[in-house]
Amino acid sequence: MKAATLRTFQTVHTWTGLLAGFALFVAFYAGALTVFHDDIAAWQNPPWRAAADAEVSLDTLMERLLAQHPDVRDDFGIILPRDGSHAAYAYWEAKDGTRFATASQMEAPRTEAAENELADFVYALHDSLGLPVIGLYLMGIVSVLYGLALLSGILIHLPQLAKDFFAMRVGRNLKRLWQDAHNAIGVISLPFHVIFAVTGALFCLFTITLVSLNTIAFDGKLFDAFARATATTPTVTASGTPATMLTTDALIERARAEAMKSGVTTFEPDYMHFVHYGDRNAVAEVRGLSQHTLGSYGTVAMSAHDGRVLGTYVGDRYSLNGISYASLFGLHFGSFGGRTVQWLYFILGLGGAFLFYSGNLLWIESRRKRRHLDQPRKTWVMARATVGVCIGSCLAISGAFVATWVAERLGVDAGVPQRAACYGLFLGACAYACLRPVARATVELLWATAALTSAMAIVDLAVNASAMLHDGSPLTWRVIGVDLTGIALGIVFALFARAAARRARTGDANSVWALRAASPSATGSGLSQ
């Protein structure tokens, strides 16, 4: 490869990584936690402290829905509770938007699916940085830049791959050590990063892509064709003849039995969809999660009147379109292989966050003046941004856990406190990184994150120890797992803080990470040292 071509790829790799790196750090750190979405939900509402309406049956929920909103019987859905401590809720399309309601909320339904669920909030940070509407498209663009960074990185390192792949040169040259760690993690996890980049771009930019192609290339026919290719609910016309509907329990058991004939070993229903409920031609569709298959989410459509199966899209009875569509979700979220794959994705998520953090450190090290105290302004700005955004987002997410825990025990809605704590701590950390010396801000924010993360987990374990011992259900182990993971993360942050402190005391003085020297340029530019 010519030197000019190599420099071009290096420029593309550097700038796409820098432009997308901060958003990707948040997406990967929050994404690692999102792998255990249901476990975090159980942590917020453990089995010994059930949420409101958790005891209300699905049939009672539907009776209240149809009594309060009879117009929705032609099309509505029921989100099934993920465990016994959560409540099922209905959703439907009203004239002014989608509505959501548990059994006791029918008179005043919500406009958001989950206003106080911590697990959904962490997922929103991963999916869209918590920004409504625009955040999803922003992350789509970030995913495209992420793909360019991957491609250019492969082309840059391919010639030296065989020689340097297993090199981990520990010594006084910290830049070379960070470079080796950055390369090793990038190469080992490359297949997964390709999956994340492609599926992330597809999910985030899907609507825009579909609208564009529909207008430019398909003469307005793409929407209908896509709907037919991916539809799992049979198209039926109401007969006008009232009929008795099967109970939800009967429909779920019928769907589970049908799904198990399709080569899957599990089918855990999480969603029901009803069309023309109460009519003789009514359709009930049950969606469920099957483990150890790429098409992890499948559906069974039945007559809601007599349980006759109308369509099965599970396991080996998927269509090519269906298995392709369903596989995207399984590959992105790691929902296809049980606990082992979940832990693998968790480690990959943290590794991805480290990849973007180390990329920024390499950029800073490459541009600092090694023989001068006076460092370029852009080096200081990038160092402060890296500390504020990366460590600040970890601190902020831990703060959201704390706020949710406190709000739940005070009996108030956790939605506002968890968002206020998360965004407040994030902005506070960014401001702190701008005002304090970089080395001090790094160490102090890491210690704060370590203390908050581990303290939350230890307090939760201590307060709930008696209930955990008494309950002993599988849900209890999920709660314990979240707490133990929090303690482990707290220890890792503490180790990082200690290493950063040592680096600040004994490392190269001509560095933004050193405490021994102050930078005249930083002081002069208003970035106080």
Side-chain angles (χ1 to χ4, degrees):
M1 187 182 298
K2 293 181 179 178
T5 306
L6 186 61
R7 283 197 297 273
T8 301
F9 284 130
Q10 285 175 331
T11 302
V12 171
H13 182 71
T14 299
W15 283 104
T16 51
L18 290 175
L19 289 172
F22 289 125
L24 286 170
F25 181 91
V26 178
F28 269 79
Y29 186 74
L33 302 180
T34 294
V35 170
F36 297 109
H37 178 281
D38 290 352
D39 302 74
I40 295 173
W43 182 86
Q44 181 177 353
N45 289 302
W48 53 88
R49 211 168 44 77
D53 293 333
E55 304 297 327
V56 177
S57 71
L58 295 177
D59 292 314
T60 301
L61 169 66
M62 290 174 58
E63 287 174 9
R64 295 184 186 179
L65 167 68
L66 297 173
Q68 193 71 37
H69 307 280
D71 294 341
V72 307
R73 63 176 58 246
D74 279 342
D75 196 333
F76 67 91
I78 302 291
I79 307 298
L80 306 184
R82 58 181 65 91
D83 53 56
S85 61
H86 286 78
Y89 62 91
Y91 87 90
W92 65 94
E93 291 297 329
K95 292 179 181 177
D96 53 349
T98 308
R99 292 291 182 271
F100 309 84
T102 62
S104 63
Q105 298 172 332
M106 288 301 169
E107 292 186 5
R110 313 186 304 264
T111 57
E112 294 184 19
E115 295 174 321
N116 66 349
E117 287 290 335
L118 177 63
D120 290 337
F121 176 62
V122 175
Y123 173 77
L125 294 176
H126 161 73
D127 179 57
S128 59
L129 304 179
L131 303 173
V133 185
I134 193 172
L136 193 66
Y137 300 128
L138 173 64
M139 289 308 296
I141 296 170
V142 165
S143 297
V144 173
L145 293 175
Y146 173 30
L148 287 174
L150 285 176
L151 180 61
S152 54
I154 293 170
L155 294 173
I156 293 168
H157 296 295
L158 195 59
Q160 290 83 30
L161 187 62
K163 185 177 66 175
D164 295 343
F165 178 58
F166 292 109
M168 189 61 69
R169 292 162 287 191
V170 180
R172 294 185 61 82
N173 190 336
L174 289 178
K175 182 196 172 187
R176 190 169 60 188
L177 177 61
W178 279 105
Q179 183 74 64
D180 290 340
H182 181 85
N183 293 346
I185 292 176
V187 171
I188 291 171
S189 57
L190 181 61
F192 295 95
H193 282 283
V194 172
I195 290 172
F196 296 151
V198 172
T199 55
L202 285 173
F203 290 153
C204 295
L205 299 177
F206 182 76
T207 302
I208 290 179
T209 305
L210 204 63
V211 169
S212 302
L213 291 175
N214 184 59
T215 304
I216 298 171
F218 289 89
D219 196 24
K221 300 176 182 176
L222 182 58
F223 285 132
D224 290 339
F226 179 79
R228 286 195 300 274
T230 58
T232 54
T233 304
T235 301
V236 295
T237 303
S239 68
T241 303
T244 303
M245 302 288 101
L246 293 176
T247 65
T248 52
D249 287 344
L251 289 168
I252 288 173
E253 285 308 311
R254 183 79 181 89
R256 183 179 280 117
E258 182 66 18
M260 298 300 281
K261 298 176 184 175
S262 306
V264 298
T265 55
T266 59
F267 185 78
E268 303 168 20
D270 69 342
Y271 166 73
M272 298 184 77
H273 177 212
F274 291 92
V275 178
H276 304 312
Y277 190 83
D279 187 271
R280 190 172 185 80
N281 287 347
V283 173
E285 184 183 30
V286 179
R287 188 185 72 180
L289 174 65
S290 298
Q291 297 288 356
H292 307 295
T293 174
L294 274 183
S296 47
Y297 280 100
T299 61
V300 177
M302 300 162 287
S303 163
H305 167 56
D306 56 18
R308 178 169 37 92
V309 176
L310 304 176
T312 304
Y313 304 90
V314 181
D316 56 19
R317 285 196 269 181
Y318 260 119
S319 65
L320 181 59
N321 285 328
I323 192 66
S324 302
Y325 195 58
S327 297
L328 293 178
F329 290 91
L331 287 171
H332 190 87
F333 294 106
S335 58
F336 56 87
R339 284 294 189 190
T340 303
V341 173
Q342 280 185 310
W343 279 108
L344 174 63
Y345 269 60
F346 177 74
I347 294 169
L348 286 168
L350 296 182
F354 174 81
L355 200 64
F356 303 116
Y357 185 76
S358 60
N360 282 13
L361 296 188
L362 288 172
W363 188 91
I364 293 168
E365 285 298 300
S366 298
R367 282 154 183 79
R368 76 179 173 92
K369 296 178 181 178
R370 300 190 176 282
R371 299 183 184 278
H372 302 280
L373 287 174
D374 188 11
Q375 296 297 324
R377 179 187 177 88
K378 61 183 179 183
T379 305
W380 288 103
V381 171
M382 177 56 77
R384 293 181 187 280
T386 299
V387 171
V389 174
C390 296
I391 304 176
S393 58
C394 299
L395 177 67
I397 291 175
S398 295
F401 273 72
V402 174
T404 302
W405 192 91
V406 173
E408 291 289 344
R409 276 139 191 90
L410 294 177
V412 301
D413 187 280
V416 173
Q418 71 192 201
R419 284 163 175 73
C422 183
Y423 297 134
L425 282 172
F426 177 76
L427 294 175
C430 290
Y432 196 78
C434 290
L435 297 173
R436 290 283 284 168
V438 173
R440 292 192 188 282
T442 304
V443 174
E444 290 160 358
L445 287 174
L446 280 169
W447 277 121
T449 307
L452 198 65
T453 307
S454 55
M456 178 69 265
I458 292 170
V459 169
D460 189 64
L461 278 175
V463 170
N464 293 315
S466 175
M468 289 174 177
L469 291 172
H470 183 264
D471 187 84
S473 68
L475 285 178
T476 298
W477 288 107
R478 291 189 171 199
V479 177
I480 295 174
V482 172
D483 285 331
L484 294 179
T485 303
I487 293 173
L489 285 175
I491 293 172
V492 171
F493 284 123
L495 292 175
F496 281 153
R498 193 177 67 170
R502 186 169 59 244
R503 168 72 178 83
R505 291 193 306 271
T506 62
D508 187 353
N510 299 330
S511 167
V512 295
W513 312 110
L515 279 174
R516 290 181 295 176
S519 167
S521 69
T523 304
S525 63
L527 302 173
S528 61
Q529 174 72 355

